[in-house]
Amino acid sequence: MFLQAFLCICFLSCWPLATLGGYNRVSGSPIQGKTCEREMYSPVVDMETIVSLCKRRGFIFQSSEIYGGLGSTWDYGPLGVELKRNVKEAWWQAVVRERDDMVGLDAAILMHPDVWEASGHVTNFTDPLVDCKNCKQRFRADHLLEGYFQKEHSLSLDDVKVKVAAENPGAAAAGHLEMLQSAFKILNGRSFEWGKFKCPECEGPLTEPRNFNLMFKTFMGPVEDAAAIVWMRPETAQGIFVNFRNVQQTTRKKLPFGIAQVGKAFRNEITPGNFTFRTREFEQMEIEYFVIPGTDEEWHKKWIAERRAWYERFGIKGENLRLREHDPDELAHYAKGCVDVEYKFPIGWSELEGIANRTDYDLTQHATHSGRNMCYFDDATSEEIMPYVIEPSAGADRSTLAFLVDAYEEEQLEKDKRVVLHFHRQLAPIKAAVLPLARNKPEIVEVARKLAADMRLSFSAMYDDTGSIGKLYRRQDEVGTLWCVTVDHQSLEDNMVTVRDRDTMRQERVPIAGVKQMLKDRLEA
Ligand code: GAP
């Protein structure tokens, strides 16, 4: 959560080694590498293969590509937008529609600037940066130190933390940068001074670290002065907190209950990269679940189990998921505890979703800053309660990437190889492709087009006659289409079509009149 959480995704081992060891330039290209997890493994697929498949087949394109692209922003193409919509829909279905204790919300991206003062983002949502006085490059101060420990002492971030916890428990509980500076003293027997570090690019002198706020700033109205500043929301959560009373009073929900929201968030990330894993504009799927204080830990556990199960329900293999509890120095300023659901991405184990116990921090802050009552009135006891909040906060882009990676398989067949995306049936962008065996035979084309049009009324279906049947099967497998339905010469006589299953590749002959209903039943099974 927040910037400390980013430390676990610092890709230490793959940074180029320079004066300070591994480092990351603010203006540099996306970092490739793995997370603080040191374990080596061979992913089923590497990120380049996924990026290339996404571009080739229209899942994801680089934003503004014809102008050379814009740093770490991505556009979802025809298949990508379907896939991501299905991911968001699967989430909404599980956390809102299937539950009696949850409702939805769609709040504005631009909010009153006081919201971000109250939430602590103006003060705390920062990364420490140092500048080179010579070449003017900018670096994350903590990344420089972590790279230094890796290079000079062969210590990972986890090793450093263990050392500081053993020798200076006070420093271990301090902020991350303070903890790293204290580690320097423990390991070298002298105090840390930025003035003695050199720029990893040009060996020039570095400035002291300064906090850089990750929120994008803009102006509301025609005058660009301080009074007109508004922020692009860095999390959707605050839209939920400020609407807590509106929602509770209009729905008459009793504690415990939750509010869910899907929407864009913006962060001026210093180290974006690894495709859609870390970007500056992304979509979140967030839940704020309001509970009676004292029941928060029990609900935290329930939501952790619930959210992990959701990824498996929609097809992620259990062995590619794990839970990781945050160390105290990683916790966001509002959190009492946090557990990440991590996925084994090609870049290593990395956060998919954070499930935090936000206590009553946000509602209390908004009550103080707005002067409004943010409590819940308990009719039974006539008590005003400031609820505690459990927050399962997932990324729609990161989840979509995980579903893509997990679905990917290269299968060796008898004569050739096929790439197949084994998407869960609810997530597959195209459910059925109707293929005419002979595209120059108008009667066959007509039956196929009519069938595709009819299927489209019930689920996503397409007509495709752009290649031989073998090629079309491979192309549909590669984008995860569940069924290929072939209309052939025989169909004109017996009114039957061949349905081929993506995963088993088994084919069956089915009456045209019943094929749509059969596939619909299978989708809903
Ligand atoms: N409201 C809490 C919150 O925003 P977070 O851990 O900072 O917590 C939640 O973000 C989720 O949002 C992450 O688990 C991740 O899936 C997604 N996310 C955060 N920053 C992101 C980024 N720069 N690019 C893509 N996804 C991001």
Side-chain angles (χ1 to χ4, degrees):
M1 311 291 291
F2 273 163
L3 69 150
Q4 277 88 354
F6 305 159
L7 298 173
C8 200
I9 315 172
C10 52
F11 315 111
L12 291 175
S13 62
C14 290
W15 295 348
L17 294 180
T19 316
L20 299 181
Y23 70 93
N24 177 51
R25 240 178 315 147
V26 171
S27 54
S29 56
I31 302 165
Q32 299 298 321
K34 56 201 214 68
T35 66
C36 57
E37 167 64 45
R38 314 297 303 162
E39 174 197 339
M40 295 298 290
Y41 74 100
S42 309
V44 171
V45 57
D46 56 32
M47 202 63 115
E48 289 79 52
T49 306
I50 291 290
V51 175
S52 140
L53 171 70
C54 283
K55 181 175 161 71
R56 191 161 34 82
R57 299 310 314 273
F59 280 96
I60 301 172
F61 308 119
Q62 192 181 9
S63 168
S64 320
E65 193 182 3
I66 60 166
Y67 290 101
L70 176 69
S72 87
T73 51
W74 300 92
D75 298 339
Y76 287 79
L79 290 177
V81 68
E82 292 289 341
L83 175 62
K84 192 170 158 194
R85 281 173 70 112
N86 292 344
V87 169
K88 290 185 284 186
E89 185 55 34
W91 182 84
W92 193 261
Q93 177 191 322
V95 308
V96 180
R97 300 240 168 88
E98 290 176 10
R99 297 181 66 117
D100 194 34
D101 57 349
M102 290 284 306
V103 290
L105 181 76
D106 185 9
I109 288 174
L110 299 177
M111 302 181 74
H112 194 290
D114 287 357
V115 167
W116 307 109
E117 294 284 351
S119 67
H121 283 78
V122 172
T123 312
N124 297 316
F125 197 55
T126 56
D127 273 346
L129 298 186
V130 291
D131 293 300
C132 172
K133 291 181 187 166
N134 185 37
C135 71
K136 312 293 179 210
Q137 300 241 38
R138 198 166 254 201
F139 308 91
R140 279 259 314 246
D142 48 346
H143 284 181
L144 287 182
L145 271 168
E146 289 163 16
Y148 162 83
F149 292 127
Q150 181 73 54
K151 185 186 174 203
E152 299 299 328
H153 297 278
S154 301
L155 292 176
S156 70
L157 179 57
D158 283 348
D159 300 333
V160 170
K161 283 183 180 175
V162 169
K163 223 169 182 38
V164 176
E167 304 203 17
N168 187 349
H176 187 67
L177 195 56
E178 292 78 48
M179 184 277 292
L180 292 172
Q181 296 186 4
S182 162
F184 183 93
K185 189 165 184 198
I186 292 167
L187 289 163
N188 299 316
R190 61 192 155 87
S191 291
F192 176 81
E193 287 172 60
W194 278 106
K196 294 197 175 150
F197 267 64
K198 297 261 185 292
C199 169
E201 285 287 310
C202 72
E203 304 211 348
L206 296 173
T207 61
E208 289 289 316
R210 275 174 305 182
N211 279 336
F212 169 82
N213 198 294
L214 298 181
M215 285 194 291
F216 280 99
K217 192 189 281 184
T218 187
F219 299 96
M220 191 165 244
V223 183
E224 296 195 359
D225 64 10
I229 290 175
V230 288
W231 307 95
M232 307 287 282
R233 69 178 176 201
E235 60 170 11
T236 64
Q238 297 304 325
I240 299 181
F241 292 125
V242 299
N243 277 297
F244 168 67
R245 292 263 294 187
N246 285 338
V247 174
Q248 194 276 322
Q249 287 173 354
T250 50
T251 60
R252 319 287 317 156
K253 287 276 173 208
K254 296 204 179 311
L255 292 182
F257 77 94
I259 304 174
Q261 174 165 227
V262 179
K264 289 260 180 173
F266 304 84
R267 295 182 189 175
N268 201 359
E269 298 279 8
I270 308 305
T271 54
N274 285 309
F275 198 28
T276 55
F277 180 84
R278 188 181 304 288
T279 53
R280 296 192 170 108
E281 173 183 340
F282 54 96
E283 244 177 316
Q284 290 189 313
M285 307 186 291
E286 295 204 293
I287 297 167
E288 307 303 327
Y289 196 77
F290 302 92
V291 305
I292 294 172
T295 63
D296 48 307
E297 306 221 337
E298 175 199 334
W299 276 106
H300 194 199
K301 287 199 191 93
K302 280 190 191 161
W303 273 109
I304 293 164
E306 187 81 15
R307 292 303 306 144
R308 187 200 157 117
W310 179 82
Y311 291 100
E312 292 197 55
R313 171 175 166 187
F314 288 97
I316 301 249
K317 295 170 204 78
E319 69 264 25
N320 291 339
L321 289 169
R322 73 176 187 187
L323 300 174
R324 189 184 69 82
E325 189 158 3
H326 280 211
D327 287 337
D329 74 321
E330 282 180 87
L331 286 176
H333 62 278
Y334 52 71
K336 172 177 164 186
C338 184
V339 169
D340 284 347
V341 179
E342 293 191 332
Y343 177 70
K344 204 173 189 180
F345 283 99
I347 51 169
W349 285 104
S350 309
E351 175 187 343
L352 259 183
E353 167 163 357
I355 303 150
N357 182 341
R358 275 182 98 126
T359 70
D360 58 0
Y361 174 85
D362 300 271
L363 291 179
T364 305
Q365 286 293 105
H366 288 305
T368 309
H369 283 250
S370 68
R372 297 288 195 90
N373 180 3
M374 297 300 285
C375 288
Y376 165 88
F377 182 73
D378 188 339
D379 293 323
T381 60
S382 295
E383 258 185 309
E384 293 272 10
I385 298 173
M386 189 63 89
Y388 265 40
V389 175
I390 304 304
E391 179 193 62
S393 173
D397 306 271
R398 233 175 246 188
S399 302
T400 301
L401 182 60
F403 284 116
L404 253 166
V405 168
D406 218 73
Y408 185 93
E409 195 178 359
E410 286 175 17
E411 275 179 19
Q412 192 55 54
L413 305 178
E414 246 175 55
K415 290 201 183 119
D416 62 357
K417 210 173 79 167
R418 72 164 182 159
V419 169
V420 55
L421 291 178
H422 295 285
F423 288 128
H424 183 278
R425 59 184 186 282
Q426 262 175 267
L427 301 189
I430 305 167
K431 310 302 181 201
V434 185
L435 320 171
L437 195 67
R439 65 179 159 189
N440 52 5
K441 183 108 177 142
E443 302 92 310
I444 292 184
V445 168
E446 192 192 335
V447 172
R449 281 196 182 278
K450 222 171 121 196
L451 185 56
D454 185 36
M455 284 182 177
R456 264 186 224 117
L457 299 176
S458 298
F459 45 81
S460 66
M462 67 176 292
Y463 168 87
D464 190 2
D465 67 3
T466 55
S468 68
I469 202 74
K471 270 208 183 106
L472 293 181
Y473 280 165
R474 291 290 171 273
R475 276 195 214 149
Q476 295 296 336
D477 287 344
E478 204 186 29
V479 299
T481 303
L482 298 172
W483 300 288
C484 287
V485 180
T486 307
V487 181
D488 55 23
H489 296 90
Q490 186 67 23
S491 308
L492 301 179
E493 285 162 28
D494 63 6
N495 288 318
M496 309 270 273
V497 284
T498 303
V499 175
R500 172 187 176 271
D501 182 274
R502 176 197 67 195
D503 298 332
T504 62
M505 292 190 287
R506 268 203 297 274
Q507 303 191 3
E508 59 190 314
R509 210 61 191 159
V510 178
I512 295 177
V515 65
K516 176 176 115 176
Q517 190 57 45
M518 181 188 91
L519 300 186
K520 214 167 155 237
D521 292 346
R522 287 184 188 173
L523 275 173
E524 285 162 12

